[in-house]
Amino acid sequence: IYIALLKFDFFLFLGFTIQFVVVVVDHHNIEFYLTIAAIPVTIIILIMAGVFTRRENTPGMLVIITLYFAGLAYFLFKLVRMWQPGLRQYLYNPVRRPLTTFAVITVILIVLTIINACMCTANFGRGLKPHITGRKLESEEEKFANHNMTEMPNYNYGYGPGPGGAMGSRMTID
């Protein structure tokens, strides 16, 4: 679920940011350049979130969760900024509604991602398969007993032609 949320985050973060940069053009404002800088930073954060989750890296996930909160603050700032009356209001008029829709969906998704990231981090070290199936982890003896019951016998030694084995009863076509 978390990896799927990251993919949706990727689409919505970048979709909002690119729309914002392309449509709301004000090259004389530092906010424009900060928004452009947010694109590669967002990509790196999302990639590292996936890596830290797969490797069960708790310190890395704590940094990622903190960055999610920063992203949440960023989108809330952009949302307030779009609806703030003032001198810059004319820049947002053509795209206020679609960007608001994108921003609200993104904020909801960030909150869900933060919740899911906290759940994943809390489950590090517990194993995914036993957690999903509701089974307890097996002891070493149970693993050995179950492993021997499900494995096919090794016919490399003592059977068939080759080192250590006699000719078996195989039919061949000459």
Side-chain angles (χ1 to χ4, degrees):
I1 293 173
Y2 182 63
I3 299 300
L5 282 173
L6 291 179
K7 292 176 184 180
F8 285 121
D9 285 340
F10 178 78
F11 170 73
L12 290 171
F13 288 176
L14 292 181
F16 176 86
T17 306
I18 290 171
Q19 286 181 50
F20 192 85
V21 168
V22 170
V23 178
V24 184
V25 179
D26 186 10
H27 298 289
H28 304 293
N29 192 344
I30 189 73
E31 186 180 345
F32 174 77
Y33 297 104
L34 290 175
T35 304
I36 290 175
I39 294 172
V41 171
T42 300
I43 293 170
I44 291 169
I45 290 170
L46 294 174
I47 289 171
M48 293 311 296
V51 169
F52 289 150
T53 302
R54 287 190 178 119
R55 294 185 180 169
E56 295 190 358
N57 184 331
T58 303
M61 283 301 291
L62 294 176
V63 169
I64 293 295
I65 291 169
T66 304
L67 291 173
Y68 286 154
F69 279 110
L72 180 62
Y74 169 80
F75 277 97
L76 290 173
F77 167 76
K78 291 290 190 181
L79 195 57
V80 168
R81 183 85 146 169
M82 282 189 294
W83 289 94
Q84 186 179 30
L87 298 173
R88 305 189 72 223
Q89 185 175 7
Y90 71 92
L91 290 172
Y92 300 104
N93 281 339
V95 292
R96 185 177 293 176
R97 288 187 183 183
L99 279 179
T100 300
T101 303
F102 238 81
V104 168
I105 292 171
T106 303
V107 165
I108 292 168
L109 196 63
I110 290 173
V111 170
L112 293 174
T113 303
I114 290 170
I115 292 168
N116 203 289
C118 290
M119 290 172 56
C120 285
T121 304
N123 287 326
F124 282 175
R126 295 186 184 166
L128 183 60
K129 188 173 181 179
H131 178 70
I132 291 174
T133 61
R135 292 183 9 220
K136 66 177 181 68
L137 291 174
E138 297 180 58
S139 67
E140 288 300 318
E141 293 85 21
E142 289 172 334
K143 284 182 186 177
F144 182 73
N146 290 341
H147 177 73
N148 286 341
M149 290 174 51
T150 59
E151 290 294 315
M152 295 292 292
N154 186 354
Y155 290 114
N156 290 335
Y157 301 103
Y159 295 97
M167 184 61 139
S169 62
R170 280 180 51 180
M171 294 179 58
T172 60
I173 300 175
D174 289 334

